[in-house]
Amino acid sequence: MTAHPLQRVGAYALLSLAGVGERERSPESLTRAEFERACAEMADDVIATAALPDTKAPHAFWLSASYFLWPNSPMNTTSRASLPIAERRARIAQWRTYPQTVLDVPCALCGFAARGFYGKVDVPLWASANHLNTTPPDHEGLALCVGCLASFHALPYGCSIQGGKVAALHSWDDAVLEAMTRRQVRRTRQEALLSAGGKSTQARYSREVEALWALRTYEHRVREGVELYVFSNDNQPARQGLDVFPVDQPLAEWLRAVLRSAELNIGFRYLVRAHYSSKAPGSVRLAYNAFHYPHRLSSTAANYLAGLTSSSGKPPGETTQLVALYKSMVREVLGVAQREIDQIEQLGDRIGQLLRVKPERGTLKEFEHVHADTGKLQSWLKKQAVAWTLRREVSEPLVSTEQWRLLFEPGDRLRFHRDLLFISVLQHLAIHGWLADDATVRGEQDDDILMEEQ
């Protein structure tokens, strides 16, 4: 194992290809026989493409993928069409026969003795699209040992291959990496077997959805972040690229736990609903935000409730379950202290008590309006503080000094505190049945994509 994420994915793919069933085994523990068995299977897959006329033929999965995985390799040489099948087989077999000679040069990745120097034909884009993954004139390439070389050859088995690009999930938590890679190897081999030929233009769902599927199937706590690598080793610079979309450990673990939680299941369904648009299912947009704009998960939930409130003037039927999910998110993912959550909730309850005395749609719409503006909210709270004291005859103020600070003192959590106040008011009103709303009327916006069996 090395510090190279794609080599690590490939190493665990190699472990799975070797048929190693024990999940506590590491790639370094492979015996010679297990290693050779995995390499033989990979060689058989690529050698079998020699008999295919082109990428449109049935079961041309690996031939089609070779153009953006191993360009310039014997699999897809420009003279391929004119070569006899036997010659194609021989060339591919020679390519996948690893050198026996040990060089007096260390492997650039792990430090073991290298077996040769390798470039674009064998090693996927590994630094930057700007480098184009090519070696300059007279440069022999990257020194690799046989283990690292085989890992790069095994890498595609541990990836989702679609639309001319490859997607790999990586984590520095080896247990997570092993489980996700083992799952993907099974899926990729199945897709290769069922392939009807031709390039895949688009998956049924996005790479991000597939990544959340993988997280959901993991049964233990995620102890490191997860990274989605999307790359192509194509010869065309416009098609070649490497993008990395990280999900930090708190969010990765929260998503995994929530996707498996019966307690928060309804709240998560409403979060999916909040992401719905006429152009894409909610699950697809939620998965995209998780990997590209994670801060939008919480804001989408709050904005969804605010939007429904603005249009109807009453607490949405989704309020109670979605607010519980929101609080879990800001606590577990964003690190908002429970004490701060309690403070804001307490103020939300008091505001809710004030609003309840006037059960009219305009009442909540007015609060939603002033809540969106800092100055108006401050003025409204000061005005209501008087009403709170006179009506309740209480010694405690409507807004404490600590609550005022959380709502208005500049800081990176100000938005979360303000959103939490609004949805806490909604929660109080919903619990007391104030102008009740039916959440089922928006059920057509739901989907079960992230809960599908894989």
Side-chain angles (χ1 to χ4, degrees):
M1 296 292 286
T2 72
H4 192 304
L6 297 184
Q7 184 275 335
R8 284 168 51 82
V9 175
Y12 275 105
L14 199 65
L15 185 70
S16 184
L17 289 169
V20 176
E22 301 90 341
R23 298 203 170 189
E24 63 272 12
R25 290 276 300 276
S26 67
E28 293 97 330
S29 71
L30 281 174
T31 65
R32 177 182 292 275
E34 291 169 338
F35 177 80
E36 291 177 350
R37 182 164 63 245
C39 292
E41 179 170 340
M42 292 191 294
D44 288 344
D45 284 341
V46 294
I47 291 172
T49 66
L52 300 174
D54 53 40
T55 59
K56 296 179 181 180
H59 307 295
F61 180 86
W62 289 116
L63 178 60
S64 177
S66 72
Y67 287 89
F68 53 88
L69 285 171
W70 309 295
N72 311 325
S73 73
M75 292 179 69
N76 49 50
T77 178
T78 53
S79 60
R80 182 182 188 278
S82 63
L83 294 175
I85 292 177
E87 178 67 16
R88 296 178 196 168
R89 284 197 184 102
R91 292 189 180 192
I92 297 173
Q94 182 180 15
W95 168 48
R96 285 302 181 96
T97 301
Y98 299 145
Q100 299 300 310
T101 304
V102 177
L103 305 181
D104 190 23
V105 177
C107 173
L109 299 182
C110 69
F112 282 94
R115 295 289 183 92
F117 296 90
Y118 301 91
K120 188 176 183 69
V121 174
D122 300 278
V123 182
L125 187 72
W126 66 280
S128 164
N130 294 329
H131 292 116
L132 298 181
N133 201 34
T134 57
T135 54
D138 301 323
H139 191 289
E140 295 186 72
L142 188 69
L144 293 176
C145 68
V146 68
C148 287
L149 176 60
S151 294
F152 282 123
H153 287 163
L155 170 64
Y157 291 86
C159 299
S160 171
I161 301 172
Q162 55 177 282
K165 288 194 175 183
V166 185
L169 269 177
H170 173 263
S171 176
W172 296 107
D173 183 333
D174 286 352
V176 174
L177 179 58
E178 187 276 335
M180 293 192 302
T181 305
R182 182 183 295 275
R183 173 184 179 277
Q184 187 59 53
V185 168
R186 183 177 66 253
R187 290 170 61 85
T188 300
R189 293 169 84 180
Q190 182 179 30
E191 185 176 350
L193 284 173
L194 299 177
S195 170
K199 286 190 177 181
S200 172
T201 56
Q202 187 172 351
R204 184 182 177 201
Y205 298 120
S206 67
R207 300 178 180 92
E208 294 84 1
V209 167
E210 291 189 346
L212 289 193
W213 275 338
L215 265 181
R216 179 169 67 88
T217 59
Y218 188 65
E219 298 178 352
H220 308 289
R221 181 177 177 82
V222 176
R223 301 187 181 279
E224 296 285 350
V226 174
E227 300 162 318
L228 178 62
Y229 281 75
V230 181
F231 63 94
S232 173
N233 201 30
D234 199 291
N235 272 335
Q236 298 297 322
R239 298 175 185 171
Q240 188 182 69
L242 169 66
D243 294 301
V244 184
F245 306 106
V247 172
D248 293 338
Q249 186 275 332
L251 177 56
E253 169 56 20
W254 183 81
L255 286 168
R256 183 204 68 82
V258 168
L259 283 166
R260 299 173 63 88
S261 170
E263 181 182 354
L264 296 174
N265 180 267
I266 298 178
F268 188 79
R269 176 176 291 277
Y270 290 156
L271 182 62
V272 169
R273 183 184 293 184
H275 280 82
Y276 168 83
S277 79
S278 59
K279 296 181 179 180
S283 288
V284 174
R285 296 185 68 227
L286 186 155
Y288 184 85
N289 280 343
F291 282 91
H292 297 261
Y293 305 102
H295 64 280
R296 290 183 181 174
L297 295 179
S298 57
S299 62
T300 298
N303 291 340
Y304 177 72
L305 292 176
L308 291 177
T309 301
S310 179
S311 61
S312 70
K314 51 188 177 182
E318 297 91 340
T319 296
T320 302
Q321 291 83 3
L322 191 51
V323 169
L325 187 78
Y326 181 93
K327 292 174 183 176
S328 167
M329 192 189 317
V330 298
R331 182 176 59 249
E332 302 297 333
V333 178
L334 304 174
V336 177
Q338 184 61 49
R339 180 177 176 277
E340 295 179 2
I341 295 175
D342 292 342
Q343 287 283 325
I344 299 298
E345 274 191 311
Q346 184 183 64
L347 176 57
D349 284 340
R350 291 174 178 173
I351 294 174
Q353 291 176 43
L354 287 173
L355 299 182
R356 274 169 51 202
V357 302
K358 194 176 181 182
E360 302 171 1
R361 293 186 177 185
T363 302
L364 191 51
K365 282 190 174 184
E366 178 190 359
F367 178 70
E368 189 274 332
H369 176 70
V370 300
H371 170 268
D373 183 274
T374 299
K376 290 180 180 179
L377 180 59
Q378 289 178 338
S379 298
W380 187 89
L381 286 173
K382 290 176 181 177
K383 179 181 178 180
Q384 295 301 320
V386 177
W388 169 263
T389 303
L390 293 177
R391 293 176 186 174
R392 301 289 170 174
E393 297 182 353
V394 294
S395 57
E396 294 184 0
L398 173 66
V399 187
S400 68
T401 302
E402 175 67 8
Q403 291 164 341
W404 190 272
R405 182 188 67 79
L406 292 174
L407 290 175
F408 301 112
E409 187 174 284
D412 57 353
R413 295 178 181 173
L414 185 62
R415 169 65 184 272
F416 304 123
H417 292 154
R418 201 78 63 82
D419 285 345
L420 182 59
L421 174 64
F422 182 73
I423 64 177
S424 294
V425 172
L426 292 182
Q427 184 181 38
H428 176 92
L429 296 175
I431 289 173
H432 288 83
W434 191 86
L435 298 181
D437 175 60
D438 183 8
T440 62
V441 299
R442 292 175 286 275
E444 74 280 357
Q445 299 174 358
D446 295 344
D447 68 76
D448 293 310
I449 293 172
L450 290 173
M451 295 302 169
E452 291 180 356
E453 293 297 327
Q454 297 301 308

